[in-house]
Amino acid sequence: MKIVDEIREEHRLINRVAGSLFRWAARGSEHPDAAGDLDDLVRFLRVYVHGFHHHREEVLFKALVEHGEVPGDHGPLVILTQEHEGVPPVLDELASAGACAGSESAAKRLAAEIWLHLDKEETVLLPEAERRLIDGGIRELEGPPASEEVEAARVLGLALVRRLPPMDDPNLIRGDGCIPCPAFGDTCHGIETEWWSDWEMEHHRGLDEG
Ligand SMILES: [Fe+2]
Ligand SMILES: [Fe+2]
């Protein structure tokens, strides 16, 4: 399904720019380019990630609720939507604080949050989304197209990756599935409990055993 493939493609760029954001923080706010690079990172995250990518995913979320037998009022979609909503306040904080020591730690936290969010979507949401929509009679889904401003932000993201070579957070443990998610066992009981029917549970068990 085109929108799912496109979301995966967008994730590849966002994953790398999160590494550039971490590089920015590790390089330090005293660097002569720190203020300009921070402005560009915030611009990419505001326009491309929040203003474009999140809206496209929310089209997918809505279709999953309407056609994919997925609950919209509890479980992974609530957690993912809350995480989307958590991004603009951090960007406002970074933009108003500018290049300073406080922004270094905020940038590192944001990079880690982005990575954990991407991992959840790649390993929990997207593998289920396509099959559920097809089973629900949806073969294609149109997300909002990229405006010129979004396309400019995408090109800026590619430039940021060249300017600030992505680095990993050595203290962050990334992983597949629900287990690394801080909401698991707290406000979300994981995809098996939240989404799977008895039939799906049996089917997945059979795959694991077989
Ligand atoms: Fe997302
Ligand atoms: Fe995403």
Side-chain angles (χ1 to χ4, degrees), residues 7 11 53 57 117-118 121:
I7 286 173
H11 282 174
H53 176 73
E57 287 180 338
H117 183 82
L118 292 179
E121 290 181 338

Side-chain angles (χ1 to χ4, degrees), residues 10-22 41-42 44-46 49-50 53-54 57 80 83-84 86-87 90-91 94 106-122 172 174:
E10 290 155 20
H11 282 174
R12 279 192 274 279
L13 177 61
I14 296 166
N15 186 51
R16 288 158 74 210
V17 179
S20 298
L21 179 66
F22 197 89
L41 286 160
V42 168
F44 172 84
L45 293 166
R46 217 189 272 287
V49 178
H50 193 69
H53 176 73
H54 287 174
E57 287 180 338
L80 294 171
E83 289 175 355
H84 288 178
V87 170
V90 182
L91 296 179
L94 282 170
K108 284 184 179 176
R109 273 199 311 278
L110 179 59
E113 281 162 13
I114 291 171
W115 280 319
L116 294 177
H117 183 82
L118 292 179
D119 291 346
K120 268 176 258 188
E121 290 181 338
E122 285 285 325
L172 181 71
R174 297 181 67 173

Side-chain angles (χ1 to χ4, degrees), residues 121-142:
E121 290 181 338
E122 285 285 325
T123 65
V124 177
L125 173 76
L126 297 181
E128 295 257 340
E130 189 157 10
R131 177 186 63 75
R132 283 179 178 274
L133 291 179
I134 289 171
D135 287 353
I138 304 294
R139 304 206 73 80
E140 273 311 335
L141 201 59
E142 278 298 315

